[in-house]
């Protein structure tokens, strides 16, 4: 894999980047008050949801219980620095990502 996997890694990186742009564009069009942060070389995307005025832990619980979407609260990664943020994993098939984004929207916007 280290010696002959460059083509696969390049394809994976391109797919993940496309997933990121799908997520970024979806939030921009459907939940514009939530700000998607620039991707930092990973498949975990930070989203600033502070403008939604819903405590992050409550939002994550609602997304899980009502929307059946599991996101991580930013506080999981640092108490103060993660306040107001959620983190979404985009390393999945695009169909699953778009389904999850629809569920997120339907849970947040009633």
């Amino acid at each position: 894999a280290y010696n002959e996997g460059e083509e696969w890694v390049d394809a994976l990186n391109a797919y993940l980047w496309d997933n990121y742009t799908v997520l970024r564009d979806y939030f921009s069009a459907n939940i514009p008050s939530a700000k998607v942060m620039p991707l930092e070389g990973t498949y975990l995307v930070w989203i600033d949801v502070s403008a939604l005025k819903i405590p992050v832990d409550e939002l994550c619980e609602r997304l899980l219980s009502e929307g059946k979407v599991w996101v991580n609260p930013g506080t999981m990664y640092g108490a103060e620095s993660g306040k107001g943020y959620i983190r979404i994993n985009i390393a999945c098939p695009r169909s699953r990502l778009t389904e999850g984004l629809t569920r997120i929207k339907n849970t947040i916007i009633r």
Side-chain angles (χ1 to χ4, degrees), residues 64-103:
L64 183 59
S65 64
E66 296 173 26
K68 306 299 184 220
V69 178
W70 191 347
V71 301
N72 296 117
T75 51
M76 181 176 179
Y77 303 94
E80 285 304 310
S81 62
K83 269 189 164 175
Y85 288 85
I86 61 173
R87 208 161 184 199
I88 296 179
N89 186 330
I90 59 169
C92 59
R94 191 148 309 123
S95 60
R96 175 149 301 162
L97 176 64
T98 56
E99 178 184 337
L101 292 172
T102 300
R103 290 179 184 194

Side-chain angles (χ1 to χ4, degrees), residues 9 33 36 57-58 69 89 107:
V9 170
S33 58
V36 176
D57 290 336
E58 180 183 325
V69 178
N89 186 330
T107 302

Side-chain angles (χ1 to χ4, degrees), residues 6-75:
E6 290 177 25
E7 189 175 313
W8 177 83
V9 170
D10 290 344
L12 175 63
N13 285 335
Y15 192 87
L16 291 173
W17 179 256
D18 288 346
N19 272 1
Y20 170 72
T21 60
V22 165
L23 178 137
R24 183 192 63 207
D25 294 348
Y26 189 90
F27 269 87
S28 179
N30 295 283
I31 314 170
S33 58
K35 302 298 180 200
V36 176
M37 300 294 104
L39 195 58
E40 297 180 339
T42 181
Y43 53 84
L44 300 170
V45 181
W46 287 100
I47 301 173
D48 180 350
V49 293
S50 58
L52 297 176
K53 305 293 186 208
I54 304 169
V56 171
D57 290 336
E58 180 183 325
L59 176 61
C60 290
E61 177 55 37
R62 276 181 46 194
L63 289 172
L64 183 59
S65 64
E66 296 173 26
K68 306 299 184 220
V69 178
W70 191 347
V71 301
N72 296 117
T75 51

